[in-house]
Amino acid sequence: MAIALLGFQTTIAAPLSLTGIGVHSGREVTITFLPAEAGSGITFVRQHDDGTTSEYRAVSAHVGNTDLCTVLGTNPAHSIATIEHVMAAIYALGLDNLVIEVDGAEMPIMDGSSEVFIDAIEQVGITNLGVKRRYIRVTKPVRIEAGASWAEFRPYDGTRFEVEIDFDSKLIGRQMWAGELNAETFKTELSRARTFGFMRDVERLWAAGFALGSSLENSVVISDDDSVINVEGLRYEKDEFVRHKTLDAVGDLALAGAQFIGCYRSYRGGHKLNANALKALLSDPTAYEVVEAPSRNHKVRAREFVPVHVPEFAPWTA
C-alpha cells in the first residue's frame, strides 16, 4: 500500500489558548500554543508563580514518571504532566514545531480526549514551513516484554498502530484497534475516545493525591457492577476503551521527536510500556534510519523517502 506522508515541516498559523482543569491536581490551568520555527521541535514551558520557568523539549530523553500519565521532567516541582492527549493531537495533525506554555503542573484534561485540542488547532490553521521533514523509519523488528504485556515496532510502508487490551472486566474484556494513522483517521476513530477508570480505584487514587480533577465530564467511569456510570454512555460503541489506549500510544510515541514510518503493536500496554518500547527502538541504531522526501512535493509515498546521513539528527536525546 502506498501511504502518502507530508514532506515538509509545519507549525500553527496563529497563537491559541485553552483553559481547563488538571485531572490529577484539580486546579485550573491555561495552556497557550505558539508558532515556532522549523527545526525547533515541540517545546513545553511551565510558568511558575515566582516568575521563573521550566522548559522541556517533548522528547524521549525528558520523560519522567509514566505510572498514571506521561510526565516531562523528574522533579515534581518543575515537571509537566499529562501531556499525552495534547501530543497525540499534535502528532496526528502533523505539527512539527510549537511552543506550549502552561501556567500549572499539568495539561488541562478538557473532556478526557484529544478532540478539543484538534478542534482548536484546526480553527487557527496549520502553516507549511517549506523545510523538509525527517522521519524515523523502522528497519527491523524491536520488541520488549513486561510480564504478560509486550510491545514492538515493525517495518511498514506507512504509519500504523495495532493496539490490543485485555481487562478482567466483562464490560471491556479483550479489544483491539488497528489502522493507518493519519489526521482523518485519528479525528474520526480515535480523537473523541476518553480516558477511563474504575469506581473501585477512586478512593485509593484520591488518598494518593491523584485524580482530584477527575469527573464524569472528563472520564468514562465504570461502576462496581461493571457498567458505565456516565449518563450519555460510550462515544464509540463498546470499544471506546481500546481507542483511548491507542490515542495514548500515539501521544507517547510522539516523544520520538519526529514522525515515524513503521507499525507499532502492543498488548496490554500503557504509558510505561510505550515509553520503554520507544527507548528500545531509539537505542538501537541498526533498527531505524532517518529519511526525508526526495523531492519538493508536498506529499510523498512512504516507500519513496530516502535515507539521509545526518548522525547529529537525534531529537529524542535533545
Side-chain angles (χ1 to χ4, degrees):
M1 182 182 296
I3 308 297
L5 300 174
L6 189 63
F8 292 89
Q9 295 182 38
T10 65
T11 189
I12 53 175
L16 69 93
S17 294
L18 294 168
T19 298
I21 299 298
V23 69
H24 292 302
S25 68
R27 297 177 180 175
E28 186 176 275
V29 59
T30 295
I31 57 173
T32 300
F33 295 76
L34 301 169
E37 296 180 353
S40 58
I42 309 297
T43 302
F44 285 81
V45 179
R46 177 177 171 182
Q47 301 166 331
H48 300 285
D49 293 339
D50 62 2
T52 62
T53 61
S54 298
E55 183 173 313
Y56 303 95
R57 284 201 60 195
V59 294
S60 180
H62 290 160
V63 174
N65 194 306
T66 52
D67 289 338
L68 295 174
C69 61
T70 298
V71 179
L72 291 177
T74 56
N75 183 344
H78 301 281
S79 63
I80 304 172
T82 324
I83 66 166
E84 58 271 14
H85 301 169
V86 176
M87 289 302 300
I90 288 170
Y91 187 97
L93 291 178
L95 282 166
D96 304 283
N97 308 287
L98 282 175
V99 174
I100 304 172
E101 297 178 346
V102 54
D103 63 359
E106 61 181 323
M107 295 292 103
I109 191 63
M110 309 311 286
D111 70 345
S113 74
S114 290
E115 184 178 35
V116 174
F117 304 118
I118 291 283
D119 290 346
I121 291 169
E122 290 196 322
Q123 283 182 19
V124 300
I126 296 173
T127 298
N128 186 325
L129 294 173
V131 176
K132 284 187 178 182
R133 168 190 286 167
R134 288 171 177 165
Y135 286 79
I136 298 165
R137 181 160 62 193
V138 180
T139 56
K140 74 175 187 182
V142 173
R143 180 183 174 102
I144 66 167
E145 298 182 2
S149 303
W150 58 264
E152 65 180 10
F153 285 92
R154 300 187 68 85
Y156 182 75
D157 185 24
T159 302
R160 182 176 175 84
F161 282 77
E162 298 178 2
V163 175
E164 187 172 7
I165 62 175
D166 191 356
F167 279 79
D168 184 18
S169 160
K170 291 181 180 179
L171 177 66
I172 303 177
R174 194 162 183 167
Q175 301 181 357
M176 183 174 184
W177 187 90
E180 310 298 322
L181 198 284
N182 55 53
E184 192 57 36
T185 298
F186 185 83
K187 285 190 288 185
T188 58
E189 299 194 27
L190 300 174
S191 71
R192 300 185 69 243
R194 296 160 293 176
T195 190
F196 62 93
F198 294 88
M199 197 66 186
R200 62 175 178 263
D201 296 329
V202 170
E203 290 188 1
R204 174 179 58 82
L205 290 170
W206 285 344
F210 296 108
L212 301 179
S214 181
S215 72
L216 295 177
E217 295 181 355
N218 56 44
S219 306
V220 175
V221 180
I222 303 165
S223 68
D224 293 339
D225 65 359
D226 229 19
S227 63
V228 174
I229 292 177
N230 307 63
V231 175
E232 72 275 20
L234 298 176
R235 291 179 173 177
Y236 300 94
E237 187 177 358
K238 296 182 180 179
D239 68 349
E240 183 169 354
F241 310 101
V242 71
R243 291 174 190 260
H244 185 78
K245 285 291 189 179
T246 306
L247 183 159
D248 279 345
V250 173
D252 290 339
L253 298 191
L255 294 168
Q259 301 262 333
F260 76 92
I261 298 173
C263 177
Y264 180 69
R265 305 175 66 224
S266 69
Y267 173 68
R268 295 182 64 177
H271 300 301
K272 188 180 294 293
L273 192 73
N274 295 335
N276 288 339
L278 180 59
K279 289 178 180 179
L281 172 70
L282 299 179
S283 64
D284 183 355
T286 68
Y288 66 90
E289 60 185 355
V290 177
V291 299
E292 67 180 25
S295 66
R296 303 293 296 181
N297 292 336
H298 181 63
K299 284 196 173 183
V300 182
R301 291 182 299 174
R303 66 185 63 172
E304 295 175 341
F305 281 74
V306 297
V308 288
H309 302 290
V310 282
E312 72 277 8
F313 181 78
W316 50 89
T317 63

